[in-house]
Amino acid sequence: MTLLTKILVVSSALAAVAFAQTLEVQTSPDPCTVLNKATGAGNMTYQQVANCYKSIAFNPKDAKATIDTLTKFYDDVFVFRDLAMTPNLPSPFTLKPVDPLAELRRIGRKHYRRDFDFHGDLASFANSFQDAHVKYADKTKSGLEDCEVLSINGRAARSALQSHADTHTGFSKDAGVRFNFALASHTYWPAAKLWLDTPGMFSMRPYLPETPHIDYVLQCKDRKIHRLRKEWDILPLVEPDTFTDRATFVSNFCAHSKQKSENKPPTNDTQHRLSSPKAMAKATVMTDLVAALYLREHGQMPDPSLKDFPDAKQWAGNNTAAYQLRSMPHVGVLVVPTMEQDSKTEIPAIQGYLQQLAKNGVTHIILDMTGNFGGEEHFASLLPTVFFKTTNKATHSHKHRYRVTPAMQKLAETNLQNGMPFTDWDPRALADLQFRLYKTSSPFAKDSVHLTFNGRAATYSQWVYLDYDFNIVDQSITYPWSNDPSKIIILTDGQCGSACGMTSDHFVHTHGVRAVGVGGHQHRALSMFSFAGASVVTVDEYIDAFKSLGLEAPIQYLPYANSVSIGFRYIVSGNDTQPLEYNPKRYPAALRLDYNTDIARRHDKLWAAVAKTAWK
Ligand SMILES: *[C@@H]1O[C@H](CO)[C@@H](O)[C@H](O)[C@H]1NC(C)=O
Ligand SMILES: *[C@@H]1O[C@H](CO)[C@@H](O)[C@H](O)[C@H]1NC(C)=O
Ligand SMILES: *[C@@H]1O[C@H](CO)[C@@H](O)[C@H](O)[C@H]1NC(C)=O
Ligand SMILES: *[C@@H]1O[C@H](CO)[C@@H](O)[C@H](O)[C@H]1NC(C)=O
């Protein structure tokens, strides 16, 4: 376990910071002025960031507006409002039940002195669902890479990491996946067509860490014990002089900018309409950050010859990539680092890559979905169609339901009457169980259904499917592994989120493909995907859907720039009745691998280990 990378990312967009009047105390010098000067000099310290953040006083008026908006948003739109209260969910899930409305009530009543603490509580609340859809947002080459971390801040390393991951990541309902998320990994970088070391969420924090440094105890190859104190490196994501003091820090970064969301152009493009780029915000940020870190360290793009591994040749690659193992030439790998793909170009590209692998003797294929945080549902439906002949669109689409309120019924009806622009509640993008597109608002209005979860009742839509363009896949192209689940393996570290989980669910539960889960905890099942069971909407997107149709929105924008997103459609796997998000039996990967130094460092070795596990 190598954990010597520490980056503190200071970003208004990512950090849950505050917006408020200034505190009377501590006016001179203004800690945010001090921070800006340090940003300009390129030597910000942890303490300077902390002083500026923490100097902003709690604002009861804005806090009340925040709690009011969030309460109505969670109450009306959050599709897991009642399911989140489910107690005692079995393995591989490890999470506590949450009553979102009671939690918001508790935070709303609490007295705060600093806005920083109020927002800290809201961020913990969002993380408590362990659902990355619910969100409020240096690499030091020291010669110690081969050391084992024994302890972190005086605590056994594994338990320190797990505890951090449980509290701060909000990423998965499975503790093993949260653990993977905290650790460093590799990320395929499409722009450079090669792999980068990516710091995990323990060492790269999009918020202010609790302590200014971390104490490590390491045991290295020479068996000697090393003690190391690492200060945080601070990566400013804003230019100097973007703020000059506390007041401009607050107004430039923390206050909600209404322009931005109101100016969003309406769209009539099917692809865009059906996609959920919101789910990808995180992955986009991660990839960009990792690339930025690389360039900051090296000053130039990586050498393209590095795209091959000692044991794997890259035949082709762009947004996805195709490799063939040299030691086992019958094994090929399709790397799918994200579902945020332009299906119209990427699906034909993938079909071409796979033909090239087949031509060179590949008969068995690994689909590498590690670190894939999701993206387009459209792409999630098309990818399995490349591997399995499909005559019915419903085969690769998930049945799902929405919450239904009178406001949403009005939205659906107005959308039908006005035509433009499409919103997420437009019935014309939805199909019934025979995959006939809706021409009326009936799934939301007169046919809606009443369901009770954990003793609390709510109204939901009929089962619906999302429409997609089936003909993007050229089904006349076949490969040696076509329609043969025994020759296809999914590789996952559990960090296969959202649309990645949806596509995996089709491969595994519709077609019988096996998944190999890598990492997590020894002898414990690992989830093959996370937060697979929903599509997300932010407060702003929900409000803008109403405004775009000239309707009055049922909630107000938040006073703060924080992004708050929740699941608004729940899906089920196959003919299940239990929503996928809260159905642990759909999660465990059939096969497991533990990380060791070799496979943690080299993806070609990981692929070879997967092939040996799957096809022994
Ligand atoms: C940061 O850099 C400025 C300008 O180079 C210097 O005056 C100041 O002492 C430095 N501060 C720290 C904490 O190193
Ligand atoms: C929007 O898309 C629909 C369906 O594809 C089409 O019938 C309609 O003409 C489009 N409207 C505009 C304004 O482009
Ligand atoms: C690679 O992907 C980019 C972005 O999607 C696209 O513009 C470009 O044409 C692609 N290149 C090739 C060779 O397919
Ligand atoms: C779901 O049920 C329908 C109707 O009984 C059946 O045709 C279909 O094959 C089932 N799907 C799955 C994935 O079991």
Side-chain angles (χ1 to χ4, degrees):
M1 223 187 292
T2 315
L3 282 165
L4 299 174
T5 315
K6 280 172 295 312
I7 300 288
L8 162 59
V9 180
V10 180
S11 146
S12 59
L14 294 175
V17 291
F19 164 64
Q21 308 140 333
T22 50
L23 267 187
E24 291 315 316
V25 288
Q26 247 189 331
T27 43
S28 166
D30 181 323
C32 297
T33 306
V34 173
L35 178 63
N36 178 45
K37 288 213 179 92
T39 311
N43 62 3
M44 309 158 95
T45 65
Y46 170 92
Q47 208 53 55
Q48 288 165 338
V49 177
N51 288 347
C52 171
Y53 281 16
K54 293 182 179 178
S55 70
I56 295 157
F58 180 64
N59 179 327
K61 184 166 149 280
D62 285 339
K64 183 180 182 310
T66 300
I67 293 290
D68 287 350
T69 285
L70 291 183
T71 300
K72 188 144 177 61
F73 189 50
Y74 275 83
D75 195 11
D76 285 358
V77 192
F78 188 32
V79 77
F80 303 124
R81 185 194 72 183
D82 306 335
L83 275 154
M85 300 191 296
T86 311
N88 308 319
L89 284 161
S91 167
F93 283 9
T94 41
L95 80 160
K96 296 195 191 88
V98 192
D99 178 346
L101 304 180
E103 259 315 281
L104 284 169
R105 241 182 347 260
R106 185 186 67 78
I107 297 172
R109 286 195 194 121
K110 200 165 148 184
H111 182 73
Y112 294 89
R113 211 167 61 81
R114 301 183 299 208
D115 241 18
F116 179 81
D117 299 324
F118 172 63
H119 288 278
D121 277 2
L122 286 178
S124 302
F125 161 69
N127 286 335
S128 67
F129 300 97
Q130 300 296 356
D131 169 0
H133 282 147
V134 183
K135 270 286 157 236
Y136 188 64
D138 107 12
K139 188 93 173 56
T140 317
K141 285 265 185 278
S142 51
L144 295 169
E145 287 79 18
D146 281 318
C147 305
E148 184 188 352
V149 181
L150 299 180
S151 79
I152 298 173
N153 285 343
R155 210 170 151 183
R158 197 166 262 272
S159 98
L161 285 171
Q162 186 69 59
S163 152
H164 172 267
D166 291 349
T167 315
H168 292 289
T169 62
F171 186 80
S172 168
K173 295 179 173 56
D174 178 338
V177 178
R178 297 197 291 271
F179 187 74
N180 280 352
F181 191 59
L183 292 182
S185 60
H186 292 130
T187 307
Y188 176 76
W189 184 12
K193 303 182 177 47
L194 47 69
W195 296 78
L196 293 180
D197 291 329
T198 308
M201 278 299 156
F202 182 79
S203 49
M204 182 164 74
R205 306 212 179 160
Y207 56 87
L208 187 72
E210 294 91 340
T211 54
H213 46 72
I214 295 191
D215 290 329
Y216 292 92
V217 177
L218 308 161
Q219 183 164 40
C220 299
K221 278 208 173 123
D222 57 8
R223 311 306 299 162
K224 282 196 195 124
I225 301 290
H226 298 253
R227 289 172 197 282
L228 195 68
R229 167 163 290 188
K230 298 295 286 182
E231 311 287 333
W232 292 99
D233 278 344
I234 300 175
L235 179 68
L237 296 185
V238 298
E239 296 295 323
D241 298 326
T242 331
F243 61 94
T244 51
D245 56 12
R246 197 160 35 196
T248 48
F249 180 81
V250 165
S251 59
N252 293 354
F253 294 122
C254 312
H256 189 284
S257 149
K258 292 190 174 63
Q259 253 94 15
K260 217 168 63 196
S261 40
E262 277 168 5
N263 287 349
K264 218 164 48 180
T267 175
N268 194 27
D269 174 65
T270 310
Q271 168 123 358
H272 189 257
R273 174 165 57 88
L274 295 181
S275 72
S276 60
K278 318 138 210 176
M280 265 305 292
K282 196 186 194 86
T284 307
V285 167
M286 257 320 258
T287 315
D288 291 353
L289 273 182
V290 172
L293 292 178
Y294 183 94
L295 293 172
R296 183 174 180 247
E297 195 183 337
H298 297 91
Q300 58 185 24
M301 292 291 280
D303 176 354
S305 69
L306 299 174
K307 69 188 173 30
D308 286 343
F309 289 104
D311 189 29
K313 175 179 169 56
Q314 189 187 103
W315 281 103
N318 193 13
N319 306 304
T320 53
Y323 286 86
Q324 180 177 26
L325 287 183
R326 296 185 212 274
S327 60
M328 287 178 261
H330 67 290
V331 175
V333 182
L334 180 70
V335 178
V336 185
T338 168
M339 309 301 282
E340 185 67 13
Q341 306 279 8
D342 179 352
S343 297
K344 282 198 198 83
T345 53
E346 203 59 31
I347 290 289
I350 288 173
Q351 292 199 283
Y353 299 167
L354 293 178
Q355 281 177 301
Q356 202 169 347
L357 290 181
K359 202 177 78 197
N360 286 288
V362 169
T363 55
H364 292 63
I365 195 94
I366 297 171
L367 271 164
D368 186 338
M369 305 275 209
T370 52
N372 180 326
F373 297 147
E376 274 191 47
E377 286 160 33
H378 190 116
F379 185 73
S381 293
L382 293 172
L383 190 61
T385 312
V386 171
F387 292 78
F388 292 95
K389 183 162 176 58
T390 316
T391 51
N392 180 353
K393 274 191 194 179
T395 310
H396 296 148
S397 192
H398 281 98
K399 282 197 292 193
H400 64 267
R401 292 190 197 280
Y402 294 72
R403 293 282 311 279
V404 174
T405 62
M408 290 172 199
Q409 291 172 344
K410 181 98 182 126
L411 194 55
E413 280 156 21
T414 310
N415 223 164
L416 273 179
Q417 287 156 16
N418 292 17
M420 275 275 287
F422 288 101
T423 73
D424 282 319
W425 286 266
D426 191 328
R428 288 169 300 173
L430 305 177
D432 66 15
L433 291 188
Q434 278 69 50
F435 232 98
R436 291 176 304 221
L437 288 176
Y438 278 103
K439 295 188 175 62
T440 70
S441 63
S442 63
F444 291 108
K446 60 180 191 296
D447 301 336
S448 44
V449 296
H450 306 285
L451 298 174
T452 300
F453 294 109
N454 295 312
R456 205 149 63 185
T459 309
Y460 296 81
S461 72
Q462 284 292 323
W463 285 128
V464 292
Y465 285 119
L466 261 188
D467 192 23
Y468 65 100
D469 184 1
F470 198 45
N471 297 318
I472 289 176
V473 181
D474 181 349
Q475 292 211 50
S476 70
I477 301 173
T478 59
Y479 322 93
W481 52 84
S482 285
N483 306 309
D484 186 347
S486 75
K487 293 183 176 161
I488 304 167
I489 279 285
I490 287 180
L491 165 59
T492 171
D493 53 4
Q495 302 183 71
C496 165
S498 198
C500 180
M502 294 183 193
T503 217
S504 304
D505 185 57
H506 294 311
F507 276 100
V508 172
H509 297 124
T510 308
H511 299 294
V513 165
R514 292 164 304 158
V516 175
V518 61
H521 298 299
Q522 268 186 320
H523 312 302
R524 295 240 295 266
L526 186 74
S527 295
M528 65 180 123
F529 46 69
S530 300
F531 57 101
S535 308
V536 282
V537 65
T538 65
V539 167
D540 286 7
E541 286 162 346
Y542 183 60
I543 294 173
D544 292 344
F546 287 90
K547 295 199 164 184
S548 69
L549 293 168
L551 297 171
E552 194 189 335
I555 55 174
Q556 304 286 318
Y557 289 113
L558 293 170
Y560 306 92
N562 306 25
S563 157
V564 179
S565 58
I566 57 173
F568 75 109
R569 293 194 284 236
Y570 80 69
I571 72 164
V572 291
S573 178
N575 287 332
D576 283 358
T577 47
Q578 186 73 1
L580 181 60
E581 190 72 23
Y582 285 88
N583 194 358
K585 72 172 196 290
R586 290 297 193 185
Y587 282 67
L591 302 163
R592 277 268 296 119
L593 269 180
D594 289 319
Y595 275 122
N596 59 37
T597 318
D598 272 357
I599 67 173
R601 295 270 167 76
R602 291 239 323 254
H603 244 70
D604 53 341
K605 292 196 175 179
L606 172 58
W607 295 330
V610 167
K612 283 187 192 128
T613 304
W615 297 302
K616 35 181 165 221

